[in-house]
Amino acid sequence: ISELLDFSKQRDLRKQTLNVDEWLVSVLDEILWPPKVTPKIELNADLVLSFDPDRLRRALINAINNALHALEEAFNGEAPVLTVVTRRTGGWCEILVKDNGPGMSKEVMDRIFEPMFSTKNFGVGLGVPVIRNVVEDHDGTLHYDSQVGVGTTLVMSLPIRQAS
């Protein structure tokens, strides 16, 4: 229900000025990591930005949950690893969520931004559209890169100009 509400109505951003890496540590502390998944955290942005921490938290949790669900699927015998990275790239602060799961086919990649599209047997198919809406509401961009048998990387790019 909360995903449907997040997707269907525009909310004003309630921005706060926060250190992205420190904020991200608090979000990651909420995650219940499955025992077989190794989290790898690389927080290198060291940036203070103005953003809505609740809405960006929702986007990040959706991204991490999608990656964790992908890691439950069979893949090439490697230990499942979920990597979260922050970095500064040009005028952008990037938050990356990478998994070494099964990856997505081109056909799935072509549809991931469609509301109500899902490859799972549960949920309503709004996770990725909600992520995109939140990032775009922050004047950012969202990019997915996926290769079957290798994994998926999501990149949320937020403009540094929002820094105070």
Side-chain angles (χ1 to χ4, degrees):
I1 291 174
S2 61
E3 280 188 357
L4 187 57
L5 290 172
D6 280 349
F7 180 75
S8 66
K9 68 178 184 178
Q10 292 284 16
R11 286 185 16 201
D12 291 330
L13 294 178
R14 295 183 183 148
K15 292 184 177 181
Q16 297 178 30
T17 302
L18 301 167
N19 180 293
V20 173
D21 292 342
E22 292 173 6
W23 166 81
L24 194 52
V25 166
S26 70
V27 173
L28 294 173
D29 283 346
E30 299 175 25
I31 304 293
L32 297 173
W33 298 99
K36 294 180 181 179
V37 174
T38 300
K40 185 176 175 187
I41 312 301
E42 301 172 9
L43 305 180
N44 303 308
D46 194 30
L47 287 167
V48 174
L49 297 179
S50 178
F51 62 94
D52 184 325
D54 294 330
R55 297 218 31 228
L56 200 57
R57 176 190 169 281
R58 162 71 74 193
L60 188 64
I61 295 292
N62 282 356
I64 290 171
N65 283 339
N66 285 346
L68 289 173
H69 291 137
L71 289 171
E72 291 175 359
E73 296 179 25
F75 52 96
N76 298 333
E78 293 180 40
V81 177
L82 190 148
T83 304
V84 178
V85 176
T86 62
R87 65 186 181 199
R88 179 188 298 221
T89 304
W92 300 90
C93 172
E94 294 183 338
I95 302 172
L96 289 77
V97 177
K98 302 191 291 188
D99 68 68
N100 64 340
M104 293 183 280
S105 69
K106 180 185 179 332
E107 293 77 24
V108 170
M109 286 288 293
D110 288 344
R111 298 190 63 198
I112 60 172
F113 294 109
E114 290 179 20
M116 311 305 257
F117 173 76
S118 180
T119 60
K120 302 174 193 167
N121 294 329
F122 55 90
V124 293
L126 291 174
V128 174
V130 166
I131 296 168
R132 182 182 59 190
N133 287 353
V134 169
V135 172
E136 288 178 354
D137 285 349
H138 284 85
D139 297 323
T141 62
L142 179 64
H143 175 76
Y144 276 82
D145 182 37
S146 189
Q147 189 174 356
V148 173
V150 176
T152 301
T153 301
L154 164 152
V155 181
M156 292 186 265
S157 300
L158 303 172
I160 292 176
R161 66 171 165 70
Q162 293 179 330
S164 62

